[in-house]
Amino acid sequence: MEKIQHSHVQVKGLKLHVAQIGTGPKVVVFLHGFPEIWYSWRHQMIAVANAGYRAISLDFRGYGLSDHPSDPQNTTLNDFVDDVVALLHSFAIPKAHIVSKDFGAIVVTMLAVLHPDRVSTAALLGVPFLLPGLAPLQAHLPLIPPGFYMFRWMVPGGAEADFGRFDAKTVIRKIYSMFSGSLPPVAADNQEIMDLVDSSTPLPPWLTEEDLAEYGSSYEKSGFKTALQVPYRTMFAPCGLDDRKITAPALLIMGEKDCVIKFPGLEDYIRSGKIKEFVPDLDIKFLPEGTHFVQEQCPEQVNQLLISFLDKHCQ
């Protein structure tokens, strides 16, 4: 970890926090999800650097140690896509391998559709290739109960009040505990999402108190204002890209015990092969014991899959 270098890059009037390790022309850019930051890729960054790649991970605007936008309520997934392109431009990187997690899947999907010349390969963990609006899953949305965490967090002010009862470290502890289970969090009508897990619940065995402190200190600085806006309150904004295909070689890594795979329609979208209508050159790998935080839970397996995929497309 001590070999990872940290800096800030000026992007569109904001300073974005960037972590890097490794050198050379083969570049891998890691995009985090929620409630993650650059740190969630610590195992993968070191592994790909040791394999001969330059690894770059950023905190999205409003996350971790990056600046908040001046108007977070108007921030969209398009801004995150633009930040990645601007970051590549800032480092004079013409093209990169993009690895993403959770809602970062939507960012990399948009990036690969809008800027195919900047994407060598695309690898996703925890969430398959989706565009804003979640088009392949829309028909299944009526099956989701109103207490579903995503619906709760879409309501302005609701999650802020729920989260605000606890310090940032406790919020992260609760979210990591909830999303390490095999079912998506759903609250009763008279219940808050944060109350689904007790504050004293032990961390998953693969996450240490030191790791939690890293996340907690970052979110103490950033808060959750932008993080709740993007992705949750912009996820269904139309993007007009539904008829596009991703041409870059792609990899999807899913845990068999990932709660996300229980979203109505999502597992069928992956296993039926329908996803390949959108992403034709796609390898799909399932990890039997993997949960939603598979890159932290099973780093050796994920690293092996990622490096094998990268090497295959760097010949």
Side-chain angles (χ1 to χ4, degrees):
M1 288 291 291
E2 67 275 3
K3 293 182 180 180
I4 296 177
Q5 302 297 310
H6 297 267
S7 62
H8 281 81
V9 174
Q10 195 79 16
V11 170
K12 300 181 68 176
L14 298 175
K15 289 190 296 182
L16 298 185
H17 171 243
V18 178
Q20 296 190 68
I21 184 171
T23 59
K26 299 188 297 183
V27 180
V28 184
V29 176
F30 292 91
L31 307 180
H32 64 79
F34 178 83
E36 296 156 317
I37 50 174
W38 78 269
Y39 184 78
S40 64
W41 295 113
R42 58 198 180 279
H43 304 300
Q44 287 68 47
M45 291 181 70
I46 293 170
V48 301
N50 289 339
Y53 294 86
R54 176 184 178 187
I56 300 173
S57 182
L58 79 158
D59 290 339
F60 281 123
R61 58 172 60 200
Y63 279 78
L65 302 179
S66 289
D67 284 350
H68 270 289
S70 58
D71 54 347
Q73 71 280 3
N74 293 320
T75 303
T76 70
L77 286 156
N78 294 84
D79 293 312
F80 284 27
V81 173
D82 291 346
D83 285 348
V84 177
V85 175
L87 183 72
L88 294 175
H89 179 74
S90 176
F91 286 130
I93 299 168
K95 201 169 187 178
H97 303 276
I98 312 294
V99 181
S100 71
K101 164 76 193 317
D102 191 65
F103 82 83
I106 301 178
V107 177
V108 77
T109 301
M110 294 174 68
L111 184 69
V113 167
L114 293 169
H115 304 280
D117 57 318
R118 309 307 295 265
V119 179
S120 297
T121 63
L124 277 64
L125 284 73
V127 172
F129 289 86
L130 296 169
L131 285 165
L134 313 183
L137 307 179
Q138 281 178 347
H140 301 275
L141 294 180
L143 301 174
I144 301 177
F148 187 61
Y149 80 95
M150 191 181 295
F151 291 165
R152 290 288 188 90
W153 292 353
M154 285 179 181
V155 179
E160 286 87 342
D162 185 12
F163 289 13
R165 297 176 295 145
F166 308 97
D167 60 52
K169 186 176 176 181
T170 301
V171 172
I172 301 299
R173 177 188 288 273
K174 284 172 170 282
I175 293 175
Y176 259 84
S177 297
M178 276 190 289
F179 285 86
S180 295
S182 59
L183 294 175
V186 178
D189 291 345
N190 60 348
Q191 188 179 35
E192 298 292 345
I193 296 295
M194 287 294 102
D195 293 333
L196 291 172
V197 176
D198 189 86
S199 299
S200 63
T201 299
L203 290 172
W206 39 264
L207 193 74
T208 69
E209 289 291 341
E210 290 75 18
D211 296 330
L212 180 64
E214 186 76 26
Y215 285 111
S217 63
S218 289
Y219 276 97
E220 283 171 7
K221 175 187 181 297
S222 68
F224 296 95
K225 192 175 185 66
T226 303
L228 288 166
Q229 172 68 15
V230 182
Y232 298 104
R233 293 163 193 172
T234 62
M235 191 174 295
F236 290 99
C239 65
L241 301 173
D242 294 345
D243 60 344
R244 305 288 190 92
K245 292 186 184 295
I246 292 176
T247 57
L251 172 67
L252 173 62
I253 301 174
M254 293 291 300
E256 295 273 8
K257 297 181 179 179
D258 190 334
C259 60
V260 169
I261 209 169
K262 300 300 183 184
F263 288 18
L266 192 140
E267 185 168 9
D268 181 66
Y269 170 61
I270 298 170
R271 294 192 188 271
S272 70
K274 186 174 179 61
I275 189 173
K276 293 192 177 183
E277 296 175 10
F278 182 37
V279 193
D281 189 2
L282 174 64
D283 290 334
I284 302 173
K285 304 293 184 183
F286 284 93
L287 298 186
E289 297 302 315
T291 63
H292 189 55
F293 301 102
V294 69
Q295 83 277 28
E296 295 181 271
Q297 177 197 7
C298 310
E300 294 83 6
Q301 292 170 276
V302 169
N303 294 347
Q304 183 179 13
L305 289 172
L306 273 180
I307 292 169
S308 176
F309 172 72
L310 292 169
D311 288 347
K312 176 182 175 181
H313 296 287
C314 284
Q315 302 302 323

